[in-house]
Amino acid sequence: QPVAGNTVYTTLDSNLQKVANVSLANNVQAAQRAGASTSTEYDGEDCVAGAAVVLNVKDFSILAASTYPSYDLTKYLEDSNYYTSLATDETNKPLVNRAFDGNYVPGSVFKPLVAAAALQEGTIDTNTHVECNHYYTFYAPSYIPTCLGWHGDVDLQKAIKVSCNVFFYEVGRLLGIDNIDLYAKQFGLGQATGVEIGESTGTLASPEYRTSNGGVWQPGDVIQAAIGQSDNAFTPLQLATYCATIANNGTRLKTHLVKQVTNYNRDQVISETEPEVVSQVDISQENLKIVQEAMKGVTQSGGTANSIFGDYGITIAAKTGTAENSTGKDHAWFIGCANMPNEDIAFAVIVENSGFGGSEAAPIIKNILTSIL
């Protein structure tokens, strides 16, 4: 005989989810329209998709998880032709849950992790300075990667604030890929977050991964890994979890979507999700604090997201990213944490093929945060 099923309550905040859906769609469409009228290297003409994830830092519960493009659930269930059109759309891929399954090169949003690892290993300290003249010449003349700017004398605070590649090339070379990977795993990158539905574990760049896929790891590959390039590819969910771990002073909890399960009548609680520690990052509170303060500079005067958050009035520790993408134009990232009036939240948003994270991805988070105030 049929038995009544249980009732599942999710952790999603319906208002935040709605705002995330609308803002993500609007910004993707706006980037595409703007790109169609320009011809710059960073235009968004090819921008068709994106994703956003928002977590509660207190317990790593998922408050919003948006992916664009999406679909009409009613038509999906009732119209077989509609489903066929979704399943065969290779351009937009609306059936892909980009928030949990989309693997993206992280670019510069990886830099705070490298900074924290280098501080802990003693590779650098707050007095370490690197001269940025746009070109990194350690491997010259065979290999001379560049920075997006000419930043002059750069310390850690400035390097994160202005996203200086040359600083992190040098730090990554000195730190080494083994140390980078050691701490990245502790932050949950290239690892399952624990969410109750399907997710991708992504890819963490390493010599082992490269050789197992038929490639050869070169000495200079470590500096590309250090700025979030190389073989690194993570999901927005992983990057939001990484930010929540920074905000939670190095304690990574299991990221979850289920709040509780009750019986069919909803008058008896069968199970309730409690915070579960997955790992404790082996980085001192002092060093995490240095990175947190540097990330706050991103949204302040001179930072790469100052134009969006310079006068916002809420403390936001963040990082922008413009990630090189082998299959198209650069992806735009914005990740971070915000001290909201009632709770601290962590977030990660990506707008595919659209250019700079500060201008293309950060406005989505601003809309989400504003809806909370």
Side-chain angles (χ1 to χ4, degrees):
Q1 293 296 312
V3 177
N6 294 328
T7 299
V8 177
Y9 288 78
T10 73
T11 60
L12 294 173
D13 181 306
S14 59
N15 179 57
L16 284 188
Q17 182 67 43
K18 180 179 179 179
V19 172
N21 289 346
V22 171
S23 183
L24 183 62
N26 287 345
N27 278 272
V28 169
Q29 293 164 12
Q32 189 175 40
R33 288 194 301 269
S37 62
T38 65
S39 59
T40 67
E41 180 181 359
Y42 298 104
D43 68 55
E45 184 176 2
D46 299 329
C47 176
V48 296
V53 176
V54 180
L55 303 182
N56 187 332
V57 172
K58 179 179 68 176
D59 60 5
F60 286 39
S61 58
I62 300 171
L63 302 177
S66 182
T67 184
Y68 179 87
S70 189
Y71 51 87
D72 185 318
L73 185 58
T74 302
K75 292 173 66 178
Y76 176 92
L77 295 172
E78 297 178 352
D79 186 344
S80 60
N81 290 329
Y82 178 63
Y83 171 78
T84 299
S85 70
L86 296 172
T88 57
D89 186 347
E90 288 299 316
T91 300
N92 300 297
K93 298 182 179 180
L95 296 182
V96 175
N97 180 357
R98 289 170 164 86
F100 294 177
D101 285 320
N103 288 319
Y104 300 99
V105 176
S108 294
V109 298
F110 193 67
K111 290 173 180 175
L113 183 152
V114 174
L119 287 167
Q120 188 65 29
E121 290 295 315
T123 306
I124 62 170
D125 57 30
T126 54
N127 295 316
T128 299
H129 289 251
V130 173
E131 188 70 19
C132 171
N133 292 315
H134 187 63
Y135 301 98
Y136 184 69
T137 58
F138 182 84
Y139 298 103
S142 60
Y143 179 42
I144 308 178
T146 61
C147 187
L148 288 176
W150 286 259
H151 297 121
D153 183 62
V154 180
D155 62 4
L156 175 59
Q157 295 280 338
K158 183 177 178 180
I160 289 180
K161 184 174 185 176
V162 301
S163 201
C164 177
N165 283 352
V166 168
F167 183 91
F168 283 98
Y169 288 148
E170 179 67 1
V171 171
R173 182 184 67 81
L174 295 172
L175 182 60
I177 192 63
D178 290 343
N179 282 325
I180 292 173
D181 287 355
L182 172 68
Y183 290 98
K185 290 174 182 176
Q186 293 178 21
F187 277 104
L189 298 180
Q191 313 291 308
T193 68
V195 69
E196 297 87 346
I197 63 176
E199 64 171 326
S200 171
T201 56
T203 301
L204 185 60
S206 69
E208 293 75 21
Y209 175 81
R210 180 73 62 80
T211 55
S212 67
N213 285 273
V216 177
W217 183 266
Q218 302 292 345
D221 286 330
V222 65
I223 69 171
Q224 288 297 327
I227 63 164
Q229 297 289 153
S230 183
D231 299 320
N232 286 318
F234 310 125
T235 68
L237 181 63
Q238 286 177 319
L239 288 170
T241 298
Y242 149 55
C243 289
T245 304
I246 293 174
N248 202 36
N249 296 318
T251 301
R252 178 162 70 92
L253 305 178
K254 181 179 178 181
T255 307
H256 61 281
L257 186 62
V258 174
K259 181 178 182 181
Q260 65 178 13
V261 178
T262 71
N263 62 356
Y264 181 78
N265 295 324
R266 307 182 186 183
D267 56 9
Q268 179 183 349
V269 176
I270 296 173
S271 65
E272 193 165 8
T273 303
E274 297 292 339
E276 178 182 337
V277 176
V278 176
S279 70
Q280 181 65 48
V281 177
D282 189 20
I283 296 175
S284 71
Q285 298 298 301
E286 178 185 3
N287 287 333
L288 282 173
K289 183 69 173 178
I290 292 170
V291 174
Q292 291 167 358
E293 290 301 313
M295 291 175 70
K296 290 177 184 177
V298 172
T299 59
Q300 297 168 359
S301 178
T304 52
N306 175 66
S307 62
I308 305 298
F309 288 104
D311 57 355
Y312 194 59
I314 296 293
T315 300
I316 300 170
K319 186 70 191 75
T320 58
T322 304
E324 292 182 9
N325 167 33
S326 62
T327 60
K329 293 193 170 76
D330 294 350
H331 295 323
W333 278 106
F334 189 66
I335 69 166
C337 320
N339 299 120
M340 304 309 290
N342 296 319
E343 60 189 3
D344 292 343
I345 69 167
F347 52 80
V349 59
I350 184 171
V351 182
E352 294 183 22
N353 308 119
S354 65
F356 294 108
S359 58
E360 304 300 334
I364 296 169
I365 293 301
K366 187 174 186 178
N367 290 338
I368 292 172
L369 297 182
T370 300
S371 73
I372 299 175
L373 297 176

